[in-house]
């Protein structure tokens, strides 16, 4: 299984993603500059966290027009896996690959913490290895993670099982329905605010993010008859 | 040359935490009459367009495609010639 980690001007969690894939999955992974227009040789694309283009207008708004985003869109349409973490989630929202928008945290503070989450849907390529309703610990670090969508969209997300992770206990940013991560209708594009790549070894404080990567590999092997 | 002054604001249905914080500060300064504060942003864009109608169309497209996020924001703009 071949991974690409897209690097925007301002990405700073890109190397963490590469290391997580190498450490946990031992699969090939390349850093791909945002000018790249071809991603067809990859099976999964990761949009890492950071501050693409300084996020001067809105988070993710300018990154959405990077040449690579057209290829990300095509990759998503083919059913390959796309994972957007933190700023990567914001880019997916701005690009329309996921519904909704991101607002400033309701308390206006940047929040950096270890956050308990509940796995709301474990039938997805990204969550196969988790238990339904399992509580996991992942780090968060964001100032604009307050997910918003209108009521109609929220109802659709709830009914179609597109809410993947919810904040457990304290909601750190005020997001609608305690949403921490959502998936598209097809289930192959996931965006989440917490950082699974920063929680793949016990010495990091939690290794719960590793299962997201092993889920992706398991899904890919099963769908390629290599299980 | 035309100058567009664009105002982008959160939709009224979307909570504006920055506005709420400023309202709190205005209250603590003694401005008890303040009932609500909403914060938006102003963008100034200069365009070398053929005429005002074209400029208007172009600014409209810019707002829809990039400058505002229609999920949470509204926009409006004014156009001046020779500014």
């Amino acid at each position: 299984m071949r991974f690409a980690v897209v690097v925007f001007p301002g990405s700073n969690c890109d190397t963490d993603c590469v290391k997580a894939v190498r450490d946990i999955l031992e699969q090939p992974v390349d850093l791909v500059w945002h000018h790249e227009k071809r991603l067809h040789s990859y099976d999964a694309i990761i949009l890492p966290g950071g501050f693409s283009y300084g996020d001067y207008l809105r988070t993710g708004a300018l990154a959405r027009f990077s040449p690579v985003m057209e290829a990300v869109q095509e990759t998503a349409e083919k059913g390959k896996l796309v994972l957007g973490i933190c700023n990567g989630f914001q880019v997916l929202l701005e690009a329309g690959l996921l519904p909704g928008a991101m607002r400033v945290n309701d308390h206006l503070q940047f929040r950096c913490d270890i956050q308990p989450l509940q796995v709301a849907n474990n039938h997805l390529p990204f969550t196969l290895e988790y238990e339904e309703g399992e509580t996991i610990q992942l780090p968060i670090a964001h100032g604009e993670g307050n997910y918003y969508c209108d009521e109609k969209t929220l109802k659709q997300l709830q009914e179609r099982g597109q809410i993947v992770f919810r904040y457990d206990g304290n909601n750190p940013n005020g997001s609608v329905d305690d949403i921490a991560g959502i998936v598209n209708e097809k289930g192959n594009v996931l965006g989440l605010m917490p950082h699974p790549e920063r929680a793949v070894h016990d010495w990091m404080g939690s290794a719960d993010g590793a299962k997201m990567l092993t889920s992706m590999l398991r899904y890919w092997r099963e769908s390629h008859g290599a299980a | 040359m035309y100058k567009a002054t664009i105002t982008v604001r959160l939709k009224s249905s979307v909570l504006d935490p920055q506005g709420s914080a400023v309202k709190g500060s205005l209250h603590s300064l003694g401005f008890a009459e303040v009932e609500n504060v909403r914060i938006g942003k102003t963008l100034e864009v200069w365009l070398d367009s053929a005429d005002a109608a074209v400029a208007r169309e172009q600014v409209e497209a810019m707002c829809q495609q990039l400058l505002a996020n229609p999920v949470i924001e509204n926009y409006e703009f004014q156009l001046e010639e020779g500014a």
Side-chain angles (χ1 to χ4, degrees):
Chain A
M1 185 180 190
R2 199 173 179 85
F3 285 77
V5 176
V6 179
V7 184
F8 296 99
S11 294
N12 58 36
C13 305
D14 39 357
T15 307
D16 293 346
C17 291
V18 167
K19 283 189 174 171
V21 171
R22 285 196 183 132
D23 283 8
I24 301 305
L25 302 182
E26 297 179 343
Q27 296 294 304
V29 50
D30 294 329
L31 286 169
V32 175
W33 184 233
H34 72 118
H35 283 173
E36 184 60 56
K37 290 181 179 163
R38 289 158 68 86
L39 294 171
H40 62 276
S41 60
Y42 296 101
D43 305 297
I45 314 295
I46 300 178
L47 305 184
F51 296 88
S52 50
Y53 294 91
D55 292 334
Y56 297 119
L57 184 66
R58 293 182 308 277
T59 50
L62 305 183
R64 169 210 164 171
F65 293 101
S66 277
V68 76
M69 286 310 292
E70 211 167 299
V72 171
Q73 179 115 29
E74 284 166 19
T75 308
E77 278 165 15
K78 282 182 191 153
K80 292 183 179 180
L81 302 184
V82 177
L83 171 62
I85 301 166
C86 198
N87 193 215
F89 182 15
Q90 294 159 341
V91 174
L92 290 174
L93 292 170
E94 283 286 337
L97 281 161
L98 291 172
M102 212 51 94
R103 299 172 297 181
V104 174
N105 292 354
D106 62 352
H107 45 68
L108 296 172
Q109 293 160 356
F110 189 95
R111 190 58 59 84
C112 186
D113 216 340
I114 291 266
Q115 172 72 40
L117 304 169
Q118 206 177 52
V119 180
N121 182 346
N122 71 334
H123 301 291
L124 295 161
F126 307 92
T127 56
L128 292 170
E129 303 266 309
Y130 294 108
E131 303 290 327
E132 181 101 40
E134 182 181 349
T135 302
I136 61 170
Q137 309 280 336
L138 292 183
I140 54 162
H142 58 253
E144 293 184 43
N146 183 353
Y147 176 79
Y148 172 84
C149 63
D150 60 28
E151 280 180 29
K152 189 178 154 214
T153 308
L154 178 62
K155 201 156 173 265
Q156 283 178 354
L157 292 176
Q158 291 165 338
E159 285 172 359
R160 295 172 183 167
Q162 287 177 251
I163 298 169
V164 187
F165 298 105
R166 280 197 179 89
Y167 299 113
D168 199 20
N170 180 37
N171 180 332
N173 51 45
S175 65
V176 165
D177 200 23
D178 296 331
I179 287 174
I182 57 168
V183 79
N184 64 342
E185 245 187 289
K186 255 160 77 178
N188 66 316
V189 178
L190 170 68
L192 78 166
M193 287 315 295
H195 286 268
E197 82 283 10
R198 292 188 193 168
V200 294
H201 298 293
D202 286 330
W203 58 260
M204 292 173 155
S206 165
D208 291 343
K211 282 190 197 167
M212 198 174 301
L213 295 170
T214 52
S215 294
M216 291 167 76
L217 183 60
R218 182 175 137 193
Y219 169 82
W220 183 81
R221 284 186 169 151
E222 284 173 2
S223 58
H224 284 73
Chain B
M1 184 73 84
Y2 294 90
K3 178 187 167 193
T5 305
I6 305 159
T7 307
V8 180
R9 290 192 190 88
L10 283 171
K11 288 180 179 173
S12 55
S13 56
V14 177
L15 176 78
D16 177 2
Q18 287 155 314
S20 304
V22 171
K23 178 178 123 182
S25 294
L26 288 172
H27 282 177
S28 58
L29 274 175
F31 296 106
E33 59 276 31
V34 174
E35 290 188 1
N36 200 11
V37 178
R38 309 278 298 173
I39 295 182
K41 55 192 156 201
T42 304
L43 298 98
E44 294 177 313
V45 177
W46 284 264
L47 316 81
D48 187 13
S49 306
D51 59 51
V54 172
R56 198 167 289 281
E57 215 169 276
Q58 288 166 328
V59 174
E60 188 75 36
M62 290 175 205
C63 289
Q64 285 182 16
Q65 289 171 38
L66 175 66
L67 303 181
N69 180 341
V71 179
I72 49 171
E73 293 171 332
N74 289 325
Y75 62 86
E76 59 194 36
F77 64 87
Q78 288 173 330
L79 202 63
E80 294 168 68
E81 192 175 353

